[in-house]
Amino acid sequence: EAQVTQNPRYLITVTGKKLTVTCSQNMNHEYMSWYRQDPGLGLRQIYYSMNVEVTDKGDVPEGYKVSRKEKRNFPLILESPSPNQTSLYFCASSRPGQGNNEQFFGPGTRLTVL
Amino acid sequence: TQLLEQSPQFLSIQEGENLTVYCNSSSVFSSLQWYRQEPGEGPVLLVTVVTGGEVKKLKRLTFQFGDARKDSSLHITAAQPGDTGLYLCAGLLLIQGAQKLVFGQGTRLTINP
């Protein structure tokens, strides 16, 4: 089954404790991205990757890091989480230029930073 | 400021009524997508409109892309409780050769039996 998986689905942590949210897709998509979803703000892009070893900042990259060592994986790293990073996070993948550039989203990770 | 303004942000209506959701921008988009999101899940693509003035229908849902490709609407006829969910519009921009998808704030739709 074609899918994007994220782990963990739920995470409660404390300020300053480094964490990683993993993302994996099995569709051989070149393009992957991370979004955060906050009430009234919709989905905002954090980082994206056009292909392996190619990453770039989205609209709200501060406080986040990513890496793309393999095509299928795109982890999101919070080196020192702060309460304003409490949010619902989505990983997405797509194949730009093919058809309608449909984004395939993971199920989301709800993060709470105390 | 939001590049793609979606309205209304909340809508609660009775089963059988009609409704329209709007997405507006001052930017011209290459295409515009509509997604639906259920609680505990990620958004799922409903439709993509590409040509100015294009109309696409998905059962009781009608999607329209504005002539100038700056706005779009989603019209639901005879809404059903199963239509309840969060609807998101997303416009595709071409910026310096790269594609960028920008999302509206979303419309949380509740259809009451």
Side-chain angles (χ1 to χ4, degrees):
Chain A
E1 179 190 357
Q3 60 182 352
V4 179
T5 56
Q6 293 179 228
N7 283 291
R9 293 291 312 278
Y10 303 90
L11 180 59
I12 300 175
T13 189
V14 295
T15 298
K17 187 176 181 181
K18 181 180 178 179
L19 67 93
T20 299
V21 184
T22 64
C23 173
S24 184
Q25 51 94 5
N26 62 1
M27 294 168 280
N28 202 35
H29 285 165
E30 291 84 9
Y31 188 95
M32 297 184 75
S33 58
W34 275 102
Y35 295 87
R36 60 178 289 173
Q37 187 174 39
D38 301 288
L41 297 175
L43 284 160
R44 294 179 294 167
Q45 191 180 54
I46 302 170
Y47 266 94
Y48 65 95
S49 169
M50 303 279 286
N51 215 321
V52 176
E53 301 292 359
V54 181
T55 64
D56 211 342
K57 296 177 180 179
D59 298 314
V60 288
E62 293 77 21
Y64 304 95
K65 285 174 57 177
V66 293
S67 69
R68 187 91 182 274
K69 293 184 170 56
E70 306 163 283
K71 198 172 189 179
R72 61 169 41 231
N73 296 323
F74 191 44
L76 179 69
I77 303 152
L78 284 71
E79 294 273 2
S80 182
S82 62
N84 65 12
Q85 292 177 298
T86 292
S87 187
L88 180 58
Y89 291 86
F90 287 100
C91 179
S93 73
S94 67
R95 181 166 287 162
Q98 183 180 61
N100 56 21
N101 195 34
E102 176 180 359
Q103 301 282 305
F104 291 84
F105 286 88
T109 295
R110 186 166 292 281
L111 173 66
T112 301
V113 183
L114 302 174
Chain B
T1 54
Q2 196 82 14
L3 187 61
L4 194 52
E5 291 286 342
Q6 191 171 340
S7 63
Q9 291 193 34
F10 299 92
L11 185 58
S12 180
I13 62 172
Q14 293 302 121
E15 180 177 359
E17 293 183 1
N18 302 331
L19 66 106
T20 303
V21 177
Y22 300 93
C23 270
N24 294 291
S25 177
S26 57
S27 298
V28 177
F29 296 105
S30 303
S31 63
L32 197 134
Q33 302 174 343
W34 285 91
Y35 290 82
R36 177 176 162 178
Q37 184 179 359
E38 304 279 2
E41 299 179 9
V44 176
L45 183 69
L46 294 173
V47 77
T48 300
V49 284
V50 179
T51 309
E54 182 176 3
V55 176
K56 281 192 174 179
K57 292 194 174 185
L58 199 64
K59 296 183 181 177
R60 293 174 292 98
L61 279 60
T62 301
F63 304 86
Q64 184 162 9
F65 203 10
D67 291 340
R69 290 186 288 129
K70 294 182 179 181
D71 55 86
S72 181
S73 64
L74 157 60
H75 182 80
I76 301 180
T77 304
Q80 303 293 312
D83 296 327
T84 293
L86 179 67
Y87 290 81
L88 297 158
C89 62
L92 187 64
L93 292 169
L94 288 177
I95 300 176
Q96 296 178 333
Q99 292 181 330
K100 181 177 176 62
L101 198 62
V102 292
F103 283 83
Q105 303 99 315
T107 295
R108 190 164 296 281
L109 176 64
T110 303
I111 309 300
N112 303 299

